[in-house]
């Protein structure tokens, strides 16, 4: 969809700016007018992670005048495989600060505004109000719906991308001109059904493919050139190397968005069944170690995936992925005469598996709160984490 | 009618990692039934307990969302492509 420019042009470019942006300025569709619009644009990037990294780098290089960065996290070693805005010397530093340093190094003419807080229902509208466009590269459904709803309420375009393993999806939602995220996916999946990147992994370079498309769309929206992705969803398959496009329409049954809600409870983090199963049936990593040291007879099952088990595992555990608990396949592999103890990476998936196990009659089964990460932190810090 | 079905990564555990599988049926409902016969369990990830398409999954015949066509009764012409596109949130 072709749309009018989102941003009015700045009064002028300085001589230094003309030199810097000359390769843009000689493109007829961009020119002085487009570059002045970029200079005047205020873009908020939610999350300085996998998608936020390439997005911020290219938005900065392109000359977007004001970049807001919202991120409350710190740089971790496991980020560096894909979050190219951060480097080795940034480990432990707030991502927002690390991202600002990279942006300023790439383009000192960009004004950077940091929001080192978690985006919530009670601050989203206030933060978003200062920007022309929102670009979202976060990692959970609660934030996705929050960003969408706040963008709808303020009538701002929402550039959206998501990634998983080798798959990417990207679109632009703008309620005034087309569908919003709720038209595409009216409801989030139940907790536990769709794995996150932290559970399922992501090819690092996928972030660049999807993140660069997001910036491409942001530039088109700001300058009013080309056909935007409003009303279209692009689907990228990095293994087949295909980009496909499907139409997105306004959902005639969609409820109007009138206010921000409690997104954590809308999306859930652990299902009700899992919460119920885990209540009173959760042991700590230390308690598991005590059981081992006391020579107690139990059957320890790791419900993660094979690749995760190969990275790090708790001694004595056997692998039966969560899916086999949900399908019922797992039960025949379990002993009836001793206690079954489940664990996963951090306790979410094992709670889901525990709910299935208990309803199959394994009433004394328990799971390990905090999973293998708690084991590494409290029992054996020499083991790797991921 | 033989159609090809695009299977998203998170459902490939049912299709032995195949990204694209063949299925028979003149409507989406028949295609999903055939899919279920060959890959047990996959339909329940697409349809809810009442047999409706889950609200966090979109199914396309060609580039059209079946929610805006005839839903499960949407016709699937010979050689058409059925795509299953679930919500994915990853970005970090």
């Amino acid at each position: 969809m072709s749309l009018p420019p989102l941003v009015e042009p700045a009064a002028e470019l300085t001589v230094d700016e003309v030199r810097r942006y000359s390769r843009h300025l000689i493109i007829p569709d961009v020119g002085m007018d487009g570059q002045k619009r970029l200079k005047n644009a205020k873009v908020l990037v939610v999350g300085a992670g996998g998608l936020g990294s390439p997005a911020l780098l290219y938005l900065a290089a392109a000359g977007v005048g004001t970049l807001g960065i919202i991120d409350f996290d710190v740089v971790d070693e496991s980020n560096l495989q894909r979050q190219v805005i951060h480097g080795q010397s940034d480990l432990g530093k707030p991502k927002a600060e690390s991202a600002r340093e990279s942006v300023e190094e790439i383009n000192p003419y960009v004004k950077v505004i940091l929001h080192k807080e978690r985006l919530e229902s009670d601050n989203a509208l206030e933060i978003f109000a200062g920007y022309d466009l929102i670009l979202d590269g976060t990692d959970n459904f609660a934030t996705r719906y929050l960003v969408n709803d706040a963008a709808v309420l303020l009538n701002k375009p929402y550039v959206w991308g998501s990634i998983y393993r080798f798959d990417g999806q990207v679109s632009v939602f703008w309620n005034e001109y087309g569908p919003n995220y709720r038209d595409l996916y009216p409801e989030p999946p139940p907790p536990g059904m769709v794995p996150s990147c932290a559970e399922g992994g992501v090819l690092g370079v996928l972030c660049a493919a999807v993140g660069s498309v997001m910036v491409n769309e942001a530039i088109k929206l700001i300058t009013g050139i080309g056909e935007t992705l409003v009303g279209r969803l692009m689907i990228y398959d990095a293994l087949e190397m295909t980009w496909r496009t499907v139409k997105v329409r306004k959902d005639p049954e969609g409820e109007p968005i009138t206010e921000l809600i409690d997104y954590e409870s809308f999306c859930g983090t652990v299902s009700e069944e899992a919460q119920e199963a885990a209540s009173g049936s959760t042991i700590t990593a230390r308690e598991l170690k005590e059981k081992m040291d006391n020579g107690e007879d139990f059957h320890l099952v790791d419900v993660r995936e094979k690749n995760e088990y190969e990275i790090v595992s708790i001694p004595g555990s056997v692998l039966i992925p969560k899916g086999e608990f949900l399908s019922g396949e797992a039960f025949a592999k379990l002993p009836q005469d001793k206690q079954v103890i489940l664990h996963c990476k951090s306790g979410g998936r094992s709670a889901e598996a525990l709910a299935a196990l208990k309803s199959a009659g394994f009433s004394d089964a328990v799971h390990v709160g905090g999973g293998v990460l708690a084991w590494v932190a409290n029992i054996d810090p020499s083991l790797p984490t991921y | 009618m033989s159609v090809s079905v695009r299977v998203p990564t998170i459902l490939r555990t049912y299709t032995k990692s195949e990204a694209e599988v063949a299925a028979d049926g003149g409507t989406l409902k028949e295609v999903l039934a055939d899919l279920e016969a060959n890959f047990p369990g996959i339909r329940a990830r697409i349809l809810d307990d009442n047999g409706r398409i889950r609200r966090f999954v979109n199914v396309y015949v060609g580039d059209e969302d079946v929610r805006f066509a005839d839903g499960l009764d949407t016709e699937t012409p010979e050689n058409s492509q059925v795509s299953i596109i679930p919500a994915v949130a990853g970005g970090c």
Side-chain angles (χ1 to χ4, degrees):
Chain A
M1 185 182 283
S2 188
L3 297 169
L6 177 66
V7 179
E8 289 300 310
E12 59 175 10
L13 297 183
T14 64
V15 173
D16 289 339
E17 285 170 334
V18 169
R19 266 200 305 272
R20 171 175 286 261
Y21 304 122
S22 62
R23 296 300 185 276
H24 273 171
L25 300 176
I26 57 179
I27 305 174
D29 297 308
V30 181
M32 283 297 276
D33 180 75
Q35 195 64 47
K36 285 176 182 172
R37 292 183 195 276
L38 289 170
K39 181 177 179 178
N40 227 5
K42 301 183 177 72
V43 172
L44 176 67
V45 175
V46 186
L51 292 173
S53 288
L56 283 163
L57 294 174
Y58 274 107
L59 288 167
V64 168
T66 304
L67 277 177
I69 304 171
I70 178 157
D71 204 305
F72 62 91
D73 205 1
V74 296
V75 181
D76 178 82
E77 210 163 1
S78 69
N79 301 146
L80 301 181
Q81 156 262 18
R82 64 197 178 286
Q83 299 182 12
V84 294
I85 203 167
H86 313 296
Q88 186 70 24
S89 62
D90 298 317
L91 290 177
K93 194 184 281 182
K95 284 186 182 177
E97 281 174 22
S98 163
R100 173 171 60 190
E101 287 166 16
S102 299
V103 165
E104 287 173 346
E105 176 63 20
I106 284 172
N107 190 343
Y109 305 128
V110 176
K111 179 183 170 199
V112 180
I113 301 170
L114 297 190
H115 304 275
K116 284 189 279 185
E117 64 232 272
R118 192 186 281 269
L119 190 68
E120 307 272 12
S121 296
D122 59 12
N123 63 11
L125 293 173
E126 196 181 328
I127 294 173
F128 283 20
Y131 296 92
D132 301 305
L133 178 151
I134 317 300
L135 188 147
D136 170 23
T138 54
D139 61 349
N140 64 84
F141 285 103
T143 309
R144 300 302 185 134
Y145 282 95
L146 167 59
V147 172
N148 177 70
D149 292 359
V152 168
L153 290 173
L154 296 170
N155 191 27
K156 293 187 191 285
Y158 170 24
V159 178
W160 170 91
S162 90
I163 48 176
Y164 179 71
R165 291 193 178 163
F166 297 99
D167 292 350
Q169 297 182 8
V170 53
S171 190
V172 175
F173 301 111
W174 196 355
N175 211 44
E176 184 178 348
Y177 296 102
N180 69 70
Y181 182 60
R182 285 178 184 268
D183 293 309
L184 178 63
Y185 296 118
E187 282 172 19
M193 193 173 251
V194 176
S196 67
C197 293
E199 281 175 19
V202 59
L203 187 71
V205 71
L206 185 69
C207 300
V210 173
S212 65
V213 173
M214 293 169 79
V215 173
N216 195 77
E217 291 308 296
I219 290 172
K220 281 156 57 187
L221 288 161
I222 291 164
T223 57
I225 60 174
E227 299 287 320
T228 69
L229 278 179
V230 170
R232 286 187 292 159
L233 172 68
M234 286 206 81
I235 301 156
Y236 177 53
D237 183 325
L239 286 181
E240 294 194 337
M241 196 43 74
T242 54
W243 284 98
R244 294 185 308 122
T245 313
V246 294
K247 286 180 197 158
V248 185
R249 295 206 179 123
K250 272 201 182 292
D251 183 351
E253 293 166 23
E255 298 278 324
I257 296 159
T258 55
E259 58 177 355
L260 299 183
I261 58 171
D262 178 350
Y263 293 89
E264 289 296 335
S265 88
F266 176 60
C267 297
T269 43
V270 180
S271 70
E272 283 173 29
E273 293 83 6
Q275 280 179 21
E276 200 173 302
S279 152
S281 297
T282 302
I283 62 169
T284 64
R286 287 185 202 284
E287 285 168 333
L288 175 64
K289 181 69 165 61
E290 281 167 26
K291 280 173 174 284
M292 288 177 176
D293 293 345
N294 295 338
E296 286 181 37
D297 194 18
F298 58 85
H299 192 68
L300 181 63
V301 181
D302 186 333
V303 306
R304 297 174 299 156
E305 302 298 319
K306 184 163 166 279
N307 294 15
E308 298 179 85
Y309 187 75
E310 285 168 2
I311 297 170
V312 59
S313 64
I314 299 179
S317 65
V318 296
L319 179 71
I320 308 180
K322 185 192 81 175
E324 295 192 27
F325 284 83
L326 303 187
S327 69
E329 258 176 280
F331 307 139
K333 299 179 182 173
L334 298 173
Q336 299 284 346
D337 57 345
K338 47 180 147 175
Q339 187 185 28
V340 176
I341 300 179
L342 306 180
H343 85 82
C344 62
K345 183 181 181 183
S346 57
R349 280 174 283 172
S350 57
E352 301 284 340
L354 185 66
L357 191 58
K358 282 186 178 283
S359 50
F362 291 80
S363 55
D364 66 342
V366 296
H367 84 131
V368 181
V372 70
L373 293 183
W375 178 270
V376 174
N378 297 303
I379 309 297
D380 188 355
S382 73
L383 294 173
T385 56
Y386 63 101
Chain B
M1 304 287 179
S2 177
V3 303
S4 73
V5 180
R6 298 275 319 164
V7 182
T9 306
I10 63 167
L11 296 186
R12 288 181 199 161
T13 46
Y14 295 92
T15 60
K16 300 185 179 65
S17 300
E18 288 296 316
E20 189 155 332
V21 298
D24 286 326
T27 64
L28 179 60
K29 188 186 269 177
E30 291 169 10
V31 166
L32 292 179
D34 190 49
L35 208 56
E36 175 69 16
N38 291 315
F39 308 107
I42 195 167
R43 187 169 53 184
R45 297 292 298 273
I46 304 165
L47 305 182
D48 66 17
D49 296 343
N50 299 315
R52 286 189 299 249
I53 296 173
R54 292 179 180 275
R55 305 267 280 170
F56 52 87
V57 177
N58 287 321
V59 182
Y60 292 82
V61 175
D63 71 348
E64 286 289 345
D65 187 339
V66 298
R67 273 197 286 157
F68 302 103
D70 295 320
L72 289 169
D73 296 322
T74 302
E75 289 184 9
T76 49
E78 180 78 22
N79 296 327
S80 55
Q81 186 169 59
V82 174
S83 308
I84 302 159
I85 300 168
V88 180
C92 68

